[in-house]
């Protein structure tokens, strides 16, 4: 009998390099999933193309907004990346249900790694969507009128906002534990939230009650910052009354910092205690 | 040397129908290099116990150590030396068998090269070649189980936890898994496994802890447990079911407990087997009761369970299996 008194395989690397490696391994798992699950690709590639084409070609005439395509694109970007962030919620709930979280939690990996991997996955999905949408938008006449920095800044606020929102969704996913509930709730909350905003219609055209909601809606601030950075604003529109819309870029950066500062630690803490039923 | 030690573990869950005491003062001790089976019906607290020991949940009270490491206060150190496979196979459906195992190796921090080498070794050892290069989605429960089990063995762990490794498997897969587990055990790994199957505990383990209501209610080798409920049992099978009442009375007279009747079969536990059988047969003869069969047998673990808990274990297990099959 060969008694094995020590584990035959020892761990290598410093704690810091292990953290990076864990984060990468968890990210890679989600990248493989993006490649292999057709629904994700549909959502990432086809849906954005469809949205850009439908809104710019079907609604443009009826909208009565001058240069609607340039107005529209920031709205579609924002809506798409916000929905892209809900993958993290549904995926965490699904992983919990499948029991794979239990496997991870019995391994000596960093407790943040699974979440880092998951939110990175969303970031990749959203980056691909952004590129597809920008390409399609360009074909139908969307143009950035600022500078390269404005362009990069616009892409950055959209992606960073959605990245931090992924952490919010991840926490929700771990708390609700049901991918179906997460998907339905996202739909029920995020659809109105993105529509009662300046994403697809100018705010000043909305009826009074909706106008107030839309002005304070964080989605509006996100859309407005992207519009400003891309140079897609319309000087003829009346000045907004909400502070958040008057200072959209600061609002969005603050929002990103607050979301990360609250939801990264909360999500990691939650992860350390969850286990499948 | 004791390598798994748990003392006074309690864990209470809230539920709609009031608190559930999943663990109610569980004590456990497993010597290094041995196999311990936690045997109990559905809901006994087996999974909860394993989850505490594998750092998945914290107990409300009590302490647990593995290899001297406090699993509650130092989970990360504990995770470096254990391998665990939960009650439901935890594999990533979108990854191939190989990718699943390699990922586990990387997360044990074996390094890229070793992780790949080890994953391939396990694929070969567990005959997973078929699932090696295709996403796990679409493979049978038995295949997932094997991948999951292989995942628990990536570091050739000092201590291995398997929670109901064969529940829900068809008999052939179950036998194959038994084979694998027996081999592991020969390598000197300490194994704690849970099961609802008396036969499985008997077959695989050195030592059995019978668990019910979140507590260990009996402990020992399978022979010791059998001895606990006395010696033999006398069993008679009648020609005519109408005689069952009379036969029952006769067995009660010579037996050590209450006889059980199931259709034409009546049985009772007795202190002195051969002697009791003689008396029973002679009384049955005098009462003119015709016998189809008669004899005595050594008690099985099922009898142990019935005696200790007042309910049978196998019923629950087979009910559980039937449900699993329906669900699939
Ligand atoms: N997360 C949980 N929430 C509520 N009740 C639970 C939870 N986990 C287990 N239980 C309850 O605790 C008891 C013991 O469960 P468990 O440890 O899973 O038993 P076993 O593995 O032996 O079937 C059962 O009554 C079960 O319903
Ligand atoms: Mg269980």
């Amino acid at each position: 009998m060969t008694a094995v008194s020590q584990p035959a395989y020892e761990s290598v690397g410093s704690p810091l390099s292990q953290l990076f490696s864990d984060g990468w391994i968890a990210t890679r798992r989600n990248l493989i999933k993006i490649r292999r699950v057709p629904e994700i690709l549909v959502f990432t590639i086809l849906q954005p193309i469809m949205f850009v084409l439908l809104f710019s070609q079907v609604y443009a005439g009826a909208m009565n907004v001058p240069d609607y395509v340039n107005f529209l694109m920031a709205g579609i970007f924002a809506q798409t990346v916000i929905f892209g962030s809900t993958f993290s919620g549904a995926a965490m709930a699904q992983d919990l249900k499948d029991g794979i979280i239990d496997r991870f939690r019995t391994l000596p990996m960093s407790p943040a790694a699974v979440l880092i991997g998951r939110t990175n996955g969303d970031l990749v999905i959203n980056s691909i969507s952004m590129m597809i949408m920008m390409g399609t938008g360009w074909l139908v006449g969307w143009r950035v009128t600022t500078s390269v920095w404005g362009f990069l800044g616009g892409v950055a606020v959209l992606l960073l906002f959605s990245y931090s929102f992924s952490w919010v969704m991840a926490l929700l996913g771990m708390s609700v534990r049901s991918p179906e509930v997460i998907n339905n709730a996202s739909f029920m909350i995020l659809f109105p939230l993105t529509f009662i905003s300046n994403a697809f219609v100018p705010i000043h055209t909305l009826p009074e009650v909706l106008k107030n909601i839309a002005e304070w809606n964080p989605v509006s601030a996100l859309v407005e910052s992207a519009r400003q950075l891309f140079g897609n604003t319309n000087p003829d529109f009346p000045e907004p009354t909400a502070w958040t819309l008057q200072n959209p870029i600061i609002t969005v950066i603050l929002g990103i910092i607050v979301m990360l500062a609250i939801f990264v630690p909360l999500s990691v803490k939650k992860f350390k205690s969850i286990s499948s039923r | 040397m004791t390598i798994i030690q748990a003392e006074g573990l309690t864990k209470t869950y809230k539920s709609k129908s009031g608190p559930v005491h999943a663990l109610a003062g569980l004590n456990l001790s497993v010597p290094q290099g041995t196999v311990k089976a936690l045997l109990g019906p559905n809901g006994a607290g087996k999974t909860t116990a394993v989850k505490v020991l594998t750092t998945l949940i914290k107990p409300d009270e009590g302490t647990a150590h593995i290899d001297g490491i406090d699993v509650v206060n130092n989970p990360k150190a504990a995770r470096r030396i254990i391998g665990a496979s939960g009650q439901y196979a935890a594999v990533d459906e979108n990854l191939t068998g190989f990718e699943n195992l390699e990922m586990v190796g990387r997360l044990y921090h074996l390094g890229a090269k070793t992780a790949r080498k080890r994953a391939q070794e396990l694929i070969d050892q567990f005959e997973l070649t078929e699932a090696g290069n295709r996403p796990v989605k679409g493979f049978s429960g038995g295949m997932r189980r094997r991948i999951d089990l292989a995942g628990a063995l990536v570091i050739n762990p000092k201590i291995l936890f398997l929670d109901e490794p064969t529940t829900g498997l068809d008999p052939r897969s179950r036998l194959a898994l038994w084979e694998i587990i027996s081999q592991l055990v020969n390598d000197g790994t300490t194994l704690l496994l849970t099961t609802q199957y008396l036969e499985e505990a008997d077959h695989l383990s050195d030592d059995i802890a019978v668990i019910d209501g979140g507590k260990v209610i009996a402990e020992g080798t399978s022979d010791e447990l059998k001895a606990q409920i006395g010696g033999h049992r006398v069993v008679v099978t009648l020609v005519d079911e109408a005689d069952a009442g009379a036969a029952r009375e006769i067995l009660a007279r010579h037996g050590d407990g209450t006889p059980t009747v199931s259709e034409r079969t009546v049985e009772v536990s007795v202190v002195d087997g051969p002697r009791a059988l003689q008396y029973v047969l002679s009384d049955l003869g005098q009462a003119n009761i015709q016998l189809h069969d008669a004899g005595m047998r050594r008690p099985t673990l099922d009898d142990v369970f019935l005696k200790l808990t007042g309910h049978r274990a196998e019923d629950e297990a087979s009910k559980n299996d039937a449900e699993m099959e329906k669900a699939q």
Side-chain angles (χ1 to χ4, degrees):
Chain A
M1 193 167 101
T2 51
V4 183
S5 55
Q6 284 291 313
Y9 296 90
E10 297 286 344
S11 73
V12 296
S14 68
L16 191 67
S17 74
Q18 289 182 352
L19 171 66
F20 278 106
S21 153
D22 292 348
W24 160 240
I25 297 299
T27 304
R28 196 181 60 176
R29 158 176 184 245
N30 292 306
L31 297 185
I32 295 176
K33 182 170 171 183
I34 294 175
R35 277 209 323 260
R36 294 199 184 140
V37 181
E39 291 84 4
I40 301 183
L41 282 177
V42 168
F43 183 88
T44 317
I45 296 173
L46 292 186
Q47 185 173 314
I49 296 180
M50 232 164 59
F51 264 55
V52 172
L53 293 181
L54 284 178
F55 273 88
S56 68
Q57 306 306 308
V58 180
Y59 291 126
M63 276 301 177
N64 210 3
V65 177
D67 197 8
Y68 187 62
V69 171
N70 276 318
F71 172 85
L72 167 76
M73 285 307 294
I76 294 192
F77 291 150
Q79 191 193 41
T80 305
V81 296
I82 286 173
F83 271 96
S85 304
T86 62
F87 274 118
S88 277
M92 287 309 291
Q94 188 69 47
D95 281 354
L96 204 50
K97 217 170 133 186
D98 292 345
I100 184 115
I101 296 284
D102 282 11
R103 156 72 68 213
F104 288 135
R105 286 201 55 238
T106 58
L107 296 175
M109 65 191 289
S110 156
V114 171
L115 292 157
I116 292 174
R118 192 47 260 169
T119 51
N120 280 349
D122 284 359
L123 192 58
V124 170
I125 288 175
N126 277 332
S127 303
I128 298 174
S129 295
M130 278 296 290
M131 282 191 273
I132 302 281
M133 286 186 291
M134 289 188 297
T136 319
W138 193 83
L139 288 179
V140 295
W142 173 64
R143 292 295 179 272
V144 174
T145 63
T146 47
S147 60
V148 171
W149 296 114
F151 169 72
L152 292 178
V155 173
V157 288
L158 287 164
L159 289 182
L160 283 176
F161 186 89
S162 65
Y163 177 77
S164 28
F165 189 58
S166 289
W167 284 90
V168 180
M169 290 306 298
L171 181 66
L172 276 179
M174 289 186 283
S175 309
V176 172
R177 290 167 161 262
S178 151
E180 292 81 19
V181 171
I182 285 287
N183 282 334
N184 294 339
S186 308
F187 192 78
M188 297 292 288
I189 295 166
L190 294 179
F191 243 101
L193 202 68
T194 49
F195 273 92
I196 308 174
S197 77
N198 60 359
F200 305 106
V201 293
I203 278 190
H204 65 271
T205 62
L206 291 172
E208 195 61 25
V209 179
L210 289 183
K211 184 176 162 236
N212 279 322
I213 300 174
E215 286 219 335
W216 290 99
N217 184 347
V219 176
S220 296
L222 178 63
V223 173
E224 188 59 22
S225 10
R227 261 178 208 146
Q228 287 186 5
L229 289 160
F230 292 144
N232 295 149
T233 51
N234 189 330
D236 300 336
F237 289 170
E239 196 43 32
T241 49
W243 185 90
T244 49
L245 261 198
Q246 289 166 352
N247 306 279
I249 300 179
I250 300 176
T251 304
V252 170
I253 292 176
L254 282 179
I256 291 169
I257 294 174
V258 168
M259 276 195 281
L260 289 177
I262 295 176
F263 288 95
V264 172
L266 279 186
S267 299
V268 174
K269 181 160 183 270
K270 180 77 184 173
F271 183 83
K272 286 185 184 175
S273 70
I274 52 172
S275 162
S276 66
R277 224 347 286 273
Chain B
M1 195 195 108
T2 302
I3 194 161
I4 303 175
Q5 178 97 46
E7 267 156 23
L9 293 180
T10 68
K11 181 79 190 178
T12 303
Y13 288 111
K14 286 190 233 40
S15 83
K16 279 177 207 120
S17 49
V20 178
H21 301 288
L23 294 179
L26 183 100
N27 297 320
L28 202 63
S29 125
V30 183
Q32 182 161 14
T34 67
V35 180
K36 174 85 116 195
L38 280 187
L39 171 66
N42 222 355
K46 303 180 297 294
T47 297
T48 309
V50 170
K51 281 190 173 182
V52 168
L53 292 168
T54 55
T55 76
L56 284 174
I57 56 174
K58 297 205 183 300
D60 297 335
E61 291 167 74
T63 58
H65 290 84
I66 59 169
D67 201 22
I69 300 163
D70 184 332
V71 298
V72 178
N73 296 322
N74 198 358
K76 196 152 179 180
R79 289 172 192 151
R80 288 201 189 96
I81 58 164
I82 63 170
S85 162
Q87 184 166 355
Y88 304 100
V91 289
D92 190 325
E93 304 253 301
N94 297 304
L95 302 188
T96 64
F98 179 86
E99 286 164 344
N100 265 290
L101 295 174
E102 193 225 4
M103 174 175 74
V104 171
R106 291 299 301 271
L107 295 172
Y108 271 116
H109 306 128
L110 301 188
K113 222 177 115 199
T114 317
R116 274 200 298 274
K117 188 171 143 271
R118 184 65 182 140
Q120 194 53 54
E121 272 172 29
L122 288 163
I123 296 268
D124 297 340
Q125 186 187 340
F126 281 65
E127 289 160 21
L128 296 169
T129 324
E130 199 191 335
N133 302 315
R134 279 198 290 166
V136 174
K137 195 186 322 207
F139 281 101
S140 66
M143 185 68 96
R144 282 162 205 238
R145 250 291 165 213
R146 293 219 300 280
I147 298 172
D148 192 52
L149 186 59
L153 295 171
V154 164
I155 56 163
N156 207 349
K158 200 166 184 176
I159 308 172
L160 181 62
F161 296 90
L162 303 179
D163 192 7
E164 296 198 26
T166 67
T167 301
L169 293 189
D170 58 79
R172 204 175 53 107
S173 307
R174 175 174 297 168
L175 282 178
L177 213 57
W178 279 10
E179 191 75 20
I180 291 169
I181 294 171
S182 308
Q183 272 170 25
L184 286 175
V185 170
N186 284 333
D187 283 348
T189 303
T190 305
L191 169 61
L192 180 73
L193 102 152
T194 76
T195 179
Q196 303 189 30
Y197 303 104
L198 308 155
E199 191 193 357
E200 184 161 285
D202 207 354
H203 186 89
L204 292 175
S205 67
D206 301 314
D207 231 350
I208 298 171
V210 183
I211 160 171
D212 195 44
K215 274 205 292 273
V216 174
I217 53 169
E219 207 165 5
T221 62
S222 117
D223 283 341
E224 281 165 5
L225 289 177
K226 286 172 187 165
Q228 268 195 21
I229 66 151
H232 292 84
R233 303 178 66 83
V234 166
V235 189
V236 297
T237 306
L238 310 170
V239 171
D240 187 353
E241 199 175 332
D243 293 331
R248 190 178 186 284
E249 251 170 55
I250 292 169
L251 264 72
R253 208 179 296 150
H254 303 292
D256 180 25
T258 322
T260 55
V261 184
S262 131
E263 291 177 12
R264 295 186 297 135
T265 304
V266 187
E267 79 175 81
V268 71
S269 80
V270 296
V271 181
D272 180 347
R275 215 183 160 81
L277 183 60
Q278 272 181 338
Y279 288 142
V280 165
L281 288 179
S282 113
D283 284 7
L284 286 171
Q286 261 170 25
N288 251 337
I289 297 176
Q290 282 194 46
L291 294 180
H292 180 73
D293 195 6
M296 49 181 209
R297 65 174 176 86
R298 303 267 306 152
T300 66
L301 280 174
D302 202 12
D303 301 320
V304 179
F305 212 89
L306 187 58
K307 168 110 177 198
L308 291 169
T309 66
H311 51 96
R312 293 194 103 83
E314 296 280 30
D315 290 351
E316 306 251 0
S318 38
K319 203 171 70 201
N320 202 33
D321 274 1
E323 273 165 20
M324 301 257 317
E325 260 158 39
K326 239 189 292 163
Q328 276 168 1

